[in-house]
Amino acid sequence: MYKKLFIGIAIVILSFGCGKHFTSSDLSKIDSLVSAEKYDSAYHEVLMINPQAILDPEDKAHYNLLLTQTSCLIGKPCLSDSLIDFSISFYEKIDDNEKLCDALYYKAELCIFQKDYDQAIALCKKAEKLANQIGNSHLLFKVVDSIAYINGICGNYDLELQYAKQSLEYALKAEKMSWVASSYCRICEAYQILENTDSAIFYADNALECIENADTADLPYYLNTIGFAYLEKDSQKAKEYFEKSLSYKPLTRTLENLAWVYHMEGNEDKAYEYWKQALLAEDNVPKANILHNLLQYDLEHHNIEGACERLGDIVSIKDSLNNVLKDRSIQKIQQDFDEKVVQERHERIVFKWTTIALALVVIILLLLSYIQYRRHKARILLAEHQMLISNYQSEINSLKNNQEGTEQQITDLNQKIIDLLEQDSPRLYNGKMLYDQIMENGTTVTWSQEDYRCFIDFYKATHIANYTRITKKYHPKTAHNIFFLILCDIGKKDTEIRQIMGITQEAIRSIRYRISKNAKK
């Protein structure tokens, strides 16, 4: 019960201003970091955003995509499908094929991580279709390269080769040499597995010409692949590439391949040493073949006694694993106890601070109530001023229809409006200044949100009928959208609106689309 209370209090406190203020430009900044291949920085920036502060569905879809994308790019994929599923659903709804393609691709990456290859290939094929429609080489490379990888994992080497060649075309078109190197190596590997050694060596040589552009983290894998291509025709050259690969990182496959080179040379002792190193390498590669080679070496060189010793080592490993499991059960008991002690201490500390937190919440609520009261009074006063101005304006319009004896009355009413604006309602006076500025084709480039609201308040006071008609028909949700509708209502054309608001025609279409979604049916 205490835990629920504490969580509730924490949420209340956080809702009153904790966390970084979110704007759509934050997401654009992250996009720029991803484009610059600064993936760690991009991921860090995503984590700095409070998702609770994102209210717009488009921003939410973009955020979810970026979180999934950056986590995959740094090798720590987000395991929640619900985030990227929201993005996919949203981009399908608004027909944003480019972002939808990206979202499908990164969901496929999650499926690959979870070894759900059936769903991964289905998602990649959908993404491939969209990428072809868009004609974006970057998207096409990513999607097709993943399809090649999945086929390779599943043993479909002919399809792996087919898609790897496609990925090479897109990599060359995009002029990304690191992608080109990756594609050459994938093609090389596929040909070698398909026992087409000449083709494998051809692509290995091509990979060597652009391998300097590859990421350092990928070099040990690429060099092992190139060495593997030469394994049958030139074992010495293969050995050179394997050794160079090991200088970057000891991969199981590289150690196993190098052991095989020494085995073919008749240097069984050296092969045995590399097989032992391969057995200890930690990269989740199956060790069955390595164990088989080690046992065979023991049988051939140490006879039955040596093999028994090897088997004894395996039994020892088994016993040590059992001991580890026992130790872990003991550790579990201690861990449970320690956690209980820590939890009790934590509850005491939290209970101590709960009183302070509750006091802070009460103070905050009182302050908010007072602020709301002041705002309510201000709104009532503003409404009164708007009504007075609206009435004066109506009288002026009526008097303008008369032929004689009305000029002085109109002048008096206009003076009343000016006096009210200058003396009693600075907000409406500011709105009038902004309104006059717009009527003279000024711009809103330097306007704040408050400026937009002041303009709207003045327009409502002087054009109440028009304002009421606009808001009832379109139900605009933001001051920015109301301002746009007012510009349209007063007869401003798109060219004038672009100049006034400092936006593009594409932005105008986007605003109209959002407004039309809320229009009264």
Side-chain angles (χ1 to χ4, degrees), residues 30 34 46 59-60 87 149 161 182 201 210 241 249 263 265 326 350 376 382 391 397 400 462 499 514 521:
I30 295 167
V34 171
V46 173
D59 287 338
K60 184 177 180 182
S87 301
Y149 173 78
L161 181 60
S182 172
I201 290 175
C210 53
Y241 290 122
K249 185 178 180 180
H263 173 74
E265 292 176 351
K326 290 177 183 177
V350 172
H376 180 67
L382 176 64
N391 291 337
N397 292 335
K400 283 181 178 178
T462 54
Q499 185 270 327
R514 287 198 296 269
K521 303 299 182 184

Side-chain angles (χ1 to χ4, degrees), residues 386 452-453 455-476 478-479 482-483 485-486 489:
Q386 286 175 320
Y452 283 104
R453 295 189 186 100
F455 175 95
I456 293 165
D457 286 339
F458 175 76
Y459 186 82
K460 181 179 179 182
T462 54
H463 301 78
I464 185 64
N466 292 359
Y467 176 84
T468 303
R469 174 173 50 79
I470 288 172
T471 52
K472 282 188 175 181
K473 181 178 180 181
Y474 295 104
H475 303 291
T478 65
I482 296 173
F483 177 77
L485 290 170
I486 290 172
D489 188 65

